[in-house]
Amino acid sequence: LYASSSANFSITEFVASDIDDGKHIRVFNYNATTTLINSTFDISLTPTPTDPGIEFNGFGNGAIERAFTLDLKVVDSANVAIAGASVVLKDTNGTTILSETTDANGLIGQQTVTTDVFKYSATNTGARTNFNTFSLTVTKSGKLDSSQTLDIAAAQNFSVVLAGECDADGNDFPYPMKVDTTTDKTTQDAIITVWGTEAGATNCGLSGTDTCTTAMGTTEANAITFEQIAEFAKAANGACAATNPAAGTFAVIGKLNIGSTTASTTFVKTTSESIDFARQLKLYASSTFISGQVSATGSPFGGSTISFSGTDATSINEGEFYILATSTAQPLVPGVPPATLKLFDSIVLHKAPSTTTPDAPRDLYWNGTVEARRTSFENWQAVRFLNATNTLVDVVFANQFRGFFPQANQGASTTFETIKSRRNIQGGLYASSSANFSITEFVASDIDDGKHIRVFNYNATTTLINSTFDISLT
């Protein structure tokens, strides 16, 4: 092939072969552009019969361009065309080569992509600029982004599959879990339910009938983890039920039920992690949720941050973190232990502070037993302790609408010790109805309304030992 003077031209499917002198293309004092599309030729810039290529003669500002066609279709997981998808191709330098939007057939039309440019670098000398490798990104609202690299050395004709954000990922796990899936997390919540099961049971996997290969969630030692919950949720419902955006960080996007009304024993545990709940968390009877650990000498460590960002729990007497006593909140059913929450070296907070009452999503009703050691509660309207047995040691209630609120009569097994209520809006401590309780080393400070203790229709006794609070009766 010869290119000379000012002759611009383009050839599709040019093929050079068996050229005696090895000069597949000869360029003479060239000041124009030759574009060779989907063509076959060698590119040595010092061509010989055994190493063929392109010979530059004289000098000029012309170029030989090598290019290939790109035909691309965007489809979903069911091979249905996706309209309105954004298709962006960038070269190795990060320069955008094309930016197109798919039509009703999922197509962007045939594109021509230049991969190499051969130009004069000096008299009788050529140089090559190579734009490979390319990066292709395809995006569409409601779908998972697709990114890939392309080393283009031939005509390209392929499809890009954009999985739906809520599409199952093709995996399955023999875990005792269930996901009531959603196709659009913005209009309908996924619901995740987990429970404890023994090895050999047939209530595991996405089908709910697979054999459980190992005991899971029946004791603290084999407690269900949020890594397992995120794996299963992704397998069932893509990124619409729960995700694991970074190591040790989990986002529960849908509702989560720990246990169920069948009162099966269930243990879930987190240590040194960050868990964010976008929707309501329910802890059912016979279930235990543990955050953090306790050393052999009783020191709490390895706690997690348990945060909430939703306001969907609008039913009264529940809250975003709702702990049931039995299948119904009250009364206790003999023989069915209430839910248990254990918090060690942990933080339980809502990301948006409560500033008013009523505030149903941030008003927590905890009917189960609670053990909290070196733990902080923040930004809630109130945390109501409604069980007769609780252990709270070295606990802080901060930046809440209401401070510490033991709403139920406490039994002999309860321990309240070193409880601090600070930077709360109304009341540092609440005493109401028939709730008898005792606290050692209670401290109220920086309470906005100045009411360190608020008493409502009270017919019991609160004993505050070695405690710090003010005593003005007005």
Side-chain angles (χ1 to χ4, degrees):
L1 175 66
Y2 280 74
S4 64
S5 188
S6 58
N8 292 285
F9 59 92
S10 175
I11 307 175
T12 299
E13 296 186 8
F14 166 75
V15 178
S17 64
D18 197 15
I19 308 300
D20 288 356
D21 64 0
K23 298 168 184 176
H24 286 187
I25 302 173
R26 301 193 77 192
V27 182
F28 290 88
N29 299 315
Y30 193 43
N31 293 293
T33 301
T34 295
T35 303
L36 303 176
I37 304 168
N38 298 343
S39 297
T40 303
F41 55 93
D42 287 307
I43 61 173
S44 170
L45 295 176
T46 55
T48 67
T50 58
D51 186 18
I54 306 170
E55 180 191 63
F56 281 83
N57 300 278
F59 193 76
N61 58 16
I64 307 296
E65 294 183 346
R66 179 162 65 170
F68 297 96
T69 54
L70 171 66
D71 291 274
L72 180 149
K73 184 176 184 179
V74 181
V75 297
D76 64 16
S77 301
N79 202 35
V80 176
I82 297 177
S86 171
V87 179
V88 177
L89 184 72
K90 295 184 178 182
D91 66 18
T92 189
N93 300 312
T95 302
T96 299
I97 303 303
L98 67 87
S99 179
E100 300 289 336
T101 301
T102 57
D103 61 18
N105 298 312
L107 302 173
I108 59 171
Q110 188 174 78
Q111 307 291 318
T112 301
V113 178
T114 300
T115 61
D116 300 272
V117 174
F118 304 90
K119 302 179 70 173
Y120 285 100
S121 62
T123 301
N124 299 323
T125 306
R128 175 194 181 194
T129 301
N130 181 10
F131 297 106
N132 273 305
T133 298
F134 295 84
S135 61
L136 176 68
T137 303
V138 183
T139 60
K140 168 72 175 179
S141 177
K143 301 292 184 181
L144 298 179
D145 296 351
S146 172
S147 296
Q148 59 183 294
T149 57
L150 297 175
D151 197 0
I152 300 177
Q156 305 289 304
N157 190 337
F158 61 95
S159 294
V160 174
V161 179
L162 290 186
E165 189 176 22
C166 299
D167 288 355
D169 74 355
N171 291 309
D172 198 353
F173 299 93
Y175 299 162
M177 303 178 190
K178 175 187 177 184
V179 180
D180 294 322
T181 61
T182 179
T183 56
D184 185 348
K185 66 183 182 182
T186 65
T187 59
Q188 179 186 1
D189 293 330
I191 302 174
I192 306 169
T193 302
V194 304
W195 59 88
T197 194
E198 298 292 348
T202 55
N203 60 349
C204 288
L206 295 178
S207 68
T209 58
D210 292 349
T211 300
C212 307
T213 57
T214 184
M216 181 181 290
T218 56
T219 67
E220 182 176 352
N222 64 24
I224 295 168
T225 67
F226 279 90
E227 182 175 2
Q228 292 166 333
I229 292 173
E231 282 180 332
F232 192 91
K234 183 181 179 184
N237 207 186
C240 291
T243 63
N244 180 195
T249 302
F250 299 92
V252 182
I253 298 164
K255 300 178 186 293
L256 175 61
N257 298 323
I258 298 177
S260 67
T261 56
T262 59
S264 60
T265 298
T266 306
F267 282 80
V268 173
K269 187 172 183 178
T270 172
T271 59
S272 300
E273 294 174 330
S274 176
I275 318 293
D276 181 68
F277 295 90
R279 295 291 185 266
Q280 187 183 46
L281 166 63
K282 285 185 178 181
L283 185 59
Y284 280 85
S286 297
S287 299
T288 301
F289 182 23
I290 304 169
S291 173
Q293 303 180 72
V294 179
S295 71
T297 58
S299 296
F301 71 100
S304 292
T305 297
I306 301 169
S307 61
F308 292 78
S309 52
T311 56
D312 58 298
T314 55
S315 298
I316 61 171
N317 302 340
E318 291 189 7
E320 288 298 313
F321 188 174
Y322 178 37
I323 305 178
L324 290 79
T326 62
S327 56
T328 54
Q330 293 288 355
L332 294 174
V333 176
V336 179
T340 299
L341 175 63
K342 297 185 177 184
L343 302 168
F344 308 117
D345 187 36
S346 295
I347 300 173
V348 181
L349 61 86
H350 198 287
K351 290 184 174 180
S354 179
T355 59
T356 189
T357 187
D359 185 358
R362 299 175 186 85
D363 194 357
L364 306 187
Y365 282 72
W366 287 4
N367 295 285
T369 64
V370 178
E371 179 181 2
R373 299 180 185 271
R374 202 164 70 201
T375 288
S376 177
F377 302 94
E378 300 179 14
N379 298 346
W380 300 104
Q381 203 273 352
V383 181
R384 300 169 186 262
F385 294 87
L386 295 161
N387 195 278
T389 302
N390 298 284
T391 300
L392 275 66
V393 178
D394 193 11
V395 169
V396 177
F397 296 87
N399 202 38
Q400 301 204 145
F401 191 83
R402 292 171 172 161
F404 182 36
F405 198 163
Q407 192 167 334
N409 186 47
Q410 298 301 300
S413 298
T414 288
T415 298
F416 290 155
E417 184 178 315
T418 312
I419 295 177
K420 299 175 182 178
S421 180
R422 63 189 183 210
R423 180 61 286 282
N424 295 315
I425 295 175
Q426 286 189 3
L429 172 66
Y430 281 72
S432 65
S433 188
S434 58
N436 292 284
F437 58 91
S438 175
I439 309 175
T440 300
E441 297 184 8
F442 168 75
V443 178
S445 63
D446 196 15
I447 307 301
D448 287 3
D449 65 358
K451 298 169 183 175
H452 285 188
I453 301 173
R454 300 194 78 190
V455 181
F456 290 88
N457 299 316
Y458 195 44
N459 295 294
T461 301
T462 295
T463 303
L464 303 177
I465 304 167
N466 298 341
S467 296
T468 303
F469 55 94
D470 289 312
I471 59 172
S472 169
L473 295 179
T474 53

